[in-house]
Amino acid sequence: MSWELVEHLRARFPEVEPFPRGEPSPAEEPTAHKHDAAKAPVHHVPGAVVPAGRLAEICRVVRDEAPFLLDYCSFVTGVDRPETGQIEVVYHLFSMTARHGLLLKVRVPRDNPRVPSVSGIWSAANWHEREAYDLFGIAFDGHPDLRRIMMTDDWVGHPLRKDYVYEDPRWLVDLVAQRQREAEGLGPGERADPGLS
Amino acid sequence: MALRTEELMLNMGPQHPSTHGVLRLLVTLDGENIVNARPYIGYLHSSVEKMMEHRTYLQNVALVDRGLDYLTALANEEAYLLAVERLGGIEVPPRARWIRTLMLELQRISSHLVWLGTWGNDIGATTVFLYCFRERERLLDLFEQATGGRLHYVYFRPGGVYKDLPAGWTDRVLEFCDEFPGHLQEYGELLTGNPIFLARVQGVGVLPKDAAINMGACGPVARASGISFDVRKAFPYEAYGEVEFDVPTQEAGDCFARYLVRMEEMRQSVRIVRQAIARMPDGEIRAKVPVAVKLPRGEIYARTESPRGDLGVYLVSEGADRPYRLKVRAPSFANLYALSEMMRGWKVADIIAILGTADIVLSDVDR
C-alpha cells in the first residue's frame, strides 16, 4: 500500500531500518502445516524500526511534512520479546488526507523500557500510551498523565508481559476440583444436588 | 460584597443507567457549566488480548464475540478473521464473502437500533426505545435462524462461514428491508418533529474536525465532524468493493449531526443488504482450513468499519497455532477519549445527550 512512504522516511532519516518485506505466503500454505519457524517474518504493513532517541523528531516530521502528512494515530501498543530482552513499542499512523498508513517500531530494553511520549503530537496517543504503560510497563517520558488505565492503581505487575502469569486463587482451584468430583458419573442434565435449581 | 464561587466535582457512575455499562465520569462543574469531564475506565477489563495468546485461532473466534463489543459480535469476528486470513493467505469463497457482507450490514442496523433506542430513552423519548427494540427483535430472530445465536454467533470461521443460509431466509430479510425504511421514517418523525428533542441536540456537544482527527475519533462520530472516511470505501474488504453505497457525512459535528449520520447509515445498510441478496452467487461457503490452523511468521494490521468505527486488529504471529500478540484497536476507546472535548463548555444537563451520541460500549473500551 505505501512502501514508498518507508523509502521517503529512510531518505530523510538514514538511521531508520525498514521492515523486510518478505514474500506473502501462497494461498495453499495454511493447509500444509509446514511453517518454518526459522523463516523471516512477513510484514504486511509498511513500516520501519526507529531509534528511540529520534522518535519525537521523526514523529513531528511525519505528521507535518509532505509526503507523509500522518495526522491520525490509530494506536500505540507493545510487543514483549523476552528472548531478545526487548519490548517493541508499536505506533500505527495514518493520513486522513492522503489515505496511507505507516507502522513505526521502537525497540527498548525490557528492564527499563522508556520512550518519549508522542501525546503532544497526536492527542489520541494519550490513552494508548497509558494503556501500554499499564499493561507492559513502558514509561513514556513527558506524558501529561501517566497512570494505569485498565488495572487498578495499586495493581502489581504488567499483565501483557510474557512472564506475567495469572493464577487462580487457591479457594477457586479447590472449588472447581470439588465440583468436578461431584459431577463425575452423572448423565447429561443430571445434577449432583437436586435441591439446587 | 462579591459572592464566593467554587468548582464542584460531580461523580457519575460507575453504576449509572445512562452510561450503558460501567463507565465513571468525573465532571468538574462551574455552576451549571462543564469545565472538564474525565472518563475513568477499566471496570470491565478482562484482558482479552492476553487470553487470546493462549487460545488457538479457531477458539479465539468465540472469544472476540463476547470479549469485545457485545452488540456487534459479527463485526468483531470479521476484524479478527480478516487479520488471520490475510496473514495466512486464506482465500474466502465468493459466496461466503457475500454472506459476511450481508450479515455485517444487518449487524450494523441492529447495533444502530440499540444506540437510537437507548439514546432516545436517555433524553426522554421512551417511545423510540420501544419501537427500536421491536425492529431489533426481528433482526435477532433472523440472526438466530441463520446462525443459531442471538448475540454471540460464532458464525464466521477462518476461511468462510459456519453454515449456509437456511431456505427462505433471504425472503424474510427482504421483507424486513421493505418495511424498515418506513420505520426509520417513523422514528425520524417522532424525534425531529419534537422541539424538545431538537433543543437538546442541535448545536450541542460540538466536536470540531481538527480535534476529531487529533483525538483519534472514528466512525460515525468522525463522519459527523466532516471527516469523510469509511474503511469500507477506503480499504474495501469482503464484497464492499463491489457494492454501491454512500458514506453519509455531516459538517456540524454536534449531537444532531451524529444522529443524522447514523440514521442515514441504516438506510445505506438496507441498500447493501439488498445488493448482497441479489448478487450472492451459489457455491462453497468455507475454504478448507484445518482446525488447528497455523499462520506463518509475520505481522499484519487489518482494519474494518464496525458500527462504532475503525475497528482494527494488529496480529503478530510466530508461526504457532495461536497469536503471539494480538492488539485490538477499539473504536469505542478512541471515541470515548474524544468525549471530554465534546463536553467541555456545555451544561450539566447535556452530559447524557452528548455521552449517548458517542455510542460507546464499555466492553469494547476496556476489553
Side-chain angles (χ1 to χ4, degrees), chain A residues 67-136:
Chain A
F68 308 105
L69 300 173
L70 300 162
D71 52 5
Y72 189 88
C73 176
S74 301
F75 66 82
V76 179
T77 192
V79 180
D80 190 14
R81 303 270 186 193
E83 68 281 6
T84 60
Q86 287 176 320
I87 285 185
E88 296 172 342
V89 192
V90 183
Y91 302 80
H92 186 266
L93 310 169
F94 182 66
S95 171
M96 280 293 178
T97 43
R99 302 283 156 91
H100 54 218
L102 186 67
L103 201 77
L104 296 183
K105 252 187 199 183
V106 181
R107 296 206 172 106
V108 288
R110 267 186 109 232
D111 45 11
N112 183 24
R114 198 161 266 287
V115 284
S117 168
V118 297
S119 59
I121 300 169
W122 298 278
S123 176
N126 187 319
W127 274 18
H128 288 287
E129 287 183 344
R130 277 181 67 190
E131 190 181 318
Y133 163 72
D134 188 357
L135 306 179
F136 286 95

Side-chain angles (χ1 to χ4, degrees), chain A residues 72 77-78 80-81 162, chain B residues 50 216 299 318 324-325 329:
Chain A
Y72 189 88
T77 192
D80 190 14
R81 303 270 186 193
K162 289 286 175 188
Chain B
K50 180 89 174 178
E299 52 186 72
E318 284 295 319
Y324 182 78
R325 166 87 178 101
R329 192 268 183 203

Side-chain angles (χ1 to χ4, degrees), chain B residues 266-297:
Chain B
M266 285 194 266
R267 291 192 189 93
Q268 296 300 329
S269 292
V270 172
R271 238 177 111 187
I272 299 173
V273 168
R274 285 184 184 283
Q275 293 174 61
I277 290 176
R279 296 177 51 188
M280 189 181 292
D282 288 333
E284 287 289 307
I285 53 148
R286 197 170 172 191
K288 285 199 168 40
V289 178
V291 172
V293 59
K294 286 183 180 175
L295 298 191
R297 290 183 74 201

Side-chain angles (χ1 to χ4, degrees), chain A residues 182-192:
Chain A
E182 286 168 7
E184 266 162 31
L186 295 178
E190 288 176 6
R191 284 180 171 280

